[in-house]
Amino acid sequence: MEYHTLRSRASQDTLVSNASTSLSLLELDPTPMDSPASVPYTDKDLPPLPEQPEESLSDSTHSLRSNPTTTSSVGLSGAGHGPIFYLTRIQRYSSYTFSLFTTLHLATTSVIPVLARSVPASESYLLLAREIYQTPLSEPLLVALPVVVHIGAGIATRLIRRSQNLKRYYGDDHHHRKGSVPAKQTPTLRSGWPTFSYIAASGYGFTAIFAAHAFMNRGLPLLVEGDSANIGLAFVAHGFAKHPVISWTSFVSLIGLGVGHMVWGWAKWVGAAQGAGWQLERHTGNATVDKQTKKKRRRRLLVINGVAAIGCVMWAAGGLGIVARGGETLGWVGKLYDGLYEKVPGLF
């Protein structure tokens, strides 16, 4: 009974209090708010919070600056990138530099011979272009250094990704636990090597053919004659006339692998190669969306391969259509060319 009486009395007190409060609110007369001009403006700094003094603010700011992984882990900072991030960009920007040399070389060995319709008429333009990319300063910067950096970055990227895959699959002691992977898994997964794409395969093939081409037209004359002043389109035509099988095989491979690698590489840099393919990588379950995505992927694939085919035709039109049919060089220059080709193992 006493507990019930206390609860009733408390409820009555609450009602009385609420009623008096409501009555007092109703009795207040509305007054207009002061205009901003009548309010005095004071520019005062707020005092620091008791839990965090002013010294701690500077300490926390310093700790954020000195530890970039705190922000980079959530994507708020550009720091904290791994080696693959920088190797990919080195490989990308080195291809930009090498593209300048490729453009000049394509113009002087293919486009100009097609327009001039003869090898002797095109030689002067090749010699003129060499003043741009074959000087003691420009040749290392435009040709040698970009090629070495591009290839080295690609190899280093594959090695690092393999190491990361092995750690991901086997842990830190991956050298002793390779046998723990089930036999049904693919050899690529067991070895840790990343997928060998067409761009990578064509790049390694193009590296071998390009090295042989550079040795024949630049390295061998320097070793035998001391310079390559007499080496030009006539030297290449002489090789086609005297050694047609190996010349045709090497130049067709050079054009096909080189143009294909460069076109697909540029497509990768601009983001077009990632969405190209004949089949879908994954199905969404929506037939309409899958059909449209498949058409888009196939369209990109056909466009990239079409550009590569046009590039091959352009290079072959002058290189194989004009230069390869230039014929044998006679006289002492022809004997000089024969002496150089005799130094190559397998030609005789």
Side-chain angles (χ1 to χ4, degrees):
M1 288 296 293
E2 294 179 358
Y3 175 73
H4 180 70
T5 306
L6 291 174
R7 289 189 58 184
S8 302
R9 185 175 301 173
S11 302
Q12 291 177 0
D13 294 341
T14 304
L15 291 175
V16 173
S17 175
N18 292 339
S20 60
T21 304
S22 302
L23 182 60
S24 61
L25 291 175
L26 291 175
E27 291 177 353
L28 291 175
D29 295 331
T31 57
M33 297 179 62
D34 296 332
S35 61
S38 61
V39 179
Y41 176 75
T42 56
D43 187 8
K44 297 182 179 179
D45 295 332
L46 295 176
L49 296 175
E51 296 80 9
Q52 186 176 12
E54 292 179 350
E55 291 80 3
S56 63
L57 293 176
S58 59
D59 295 339
S60 62
T61 304
H62 176 72
S63 63
L64 287 175
R65 292 178 179 176
S66 61
N67 189 13
T69 57
T70 305
T71 56
S72 62
S73 60
V74 295
L76 298 179
S77 175
H81 292 296
I84 293 181
F85 175 85
Y86 298 103
L87 288 173
T88 303
R89 275 147 183 80
I90 290 173
Q91 195 174 30
R92 177 173 184 167
Y93 297 135
S94 63
S95 65
Y96 294 169
T97 307
F98 186 74
S99 297
L100 299 176
F101 162 75
T102 306
T103 303
L104 291 173
H105 202 59
L106 173 63
T108 55
T109 60
S110 179
V111 177
I112 292 178
V114 169
L115 298 177
R117 307 299 298 176
S118 68
V119 172
S122 306
E123 289 282 11
S124 59
Y125 296 96
L126 179 61
L127 296 176
L128 181 63
R130 284 180 176 176
E131 297 297 327
I132 299 176
Y133 63 79
Q134 211 172 80
T135 65
L137 179 62
S138 61
E139 188 174 22
L141 295 179
L142 293 179
V143 184
L145 184 61
V147 170
V148 172
V149 168
H150 188 82
I151 298 172
I155 295 175
T157 301
R158 289 189 62 84
L159 293 175
I160 293 175
R161 283 177 175 170
R162 180 178 183 268
S163 178
Q164 292 176 350
N165 290 338
L166 291 176
K167 286 185 178 180
R168 185 180 298 112
Y169 298 143
Y170 308 110
D172 293 333
D173 56 341
H174 56 271
H175 296 287
H176 307 285
R177 297 180 58 186
K178 291 185 179 181
S180 62
V181 180
K184 64 180 181 180
Q185 293 184 354
T186 62
T188 303
L189 178 59
R190 290 197 298 268
S191 63
W193 288 108
T195 304
F196 208 60
S197 63
Y198 167 78
I199 299 178
S202 61
Y204 288 115
F206 178 56
T207 299
I209 299 296
F210 177 79
H213 178 73
F215 174 76
M216 285 296 303
N217 293 271
R218 183 63 172 158
L220 184 62
L222 289 175
L223 293 176
V224 177
E225 299 294 332
D227 59 54
S228 59
N230 295 319
I231 305 303
L233 299 178
F235 176 71
V236 178
H238 189 83
F240 273 97
K242 302 297 285 286
H243 313 284
V245 176
I246 191 170
S247 295
W248 277 91
T249 303
S250 60
F251 270 86
V252 169
S253 302
L254 178 68
I255 293 174
L257 293 174
V259 174
H261 179 73
M262 286 183 284
V263 170
W264 274 95
W266 273 99
K268 179 181 178 180
W269 297 147
V270 300
Q274 289 79 352
W278 196 254
Q279 299 295 335
L280 286 177
E281 294 182 349
R282 61 183 61 89
H283 295 271
T284 62
N286 190 322
T288 303
V289 174
D290 291 343
K291 185 177 181 180
Q292 293 177 354
T293 304
K294 182 184 292 185
K295 287 184 178 180
K296 185 178 180 180
R297 287 176 57 84
R298 291 183 175 182
R299 190 183 304 114
R300 284 193 176 188
L301 178 67
L302 294 175
V303 169
I304 296 173
N305 286 334
V307 173
I310 293 174
C312 290
V313 170
M314 288 179 57
W315 210 316
L320 301 179
I322 303 297
V323 178
R325 302 177 187 275
E328 179 182 354
T329 301
L330 303 177
W332 70 271
V333 179
K335 293 180 180 181
L336 173 65
Y337 293 163
D338 289 334
L340 290 175
Y341 281 110
E342 289 175 0
K343 300 295 183 180
V344 182
L347 292 182
F348 292 93

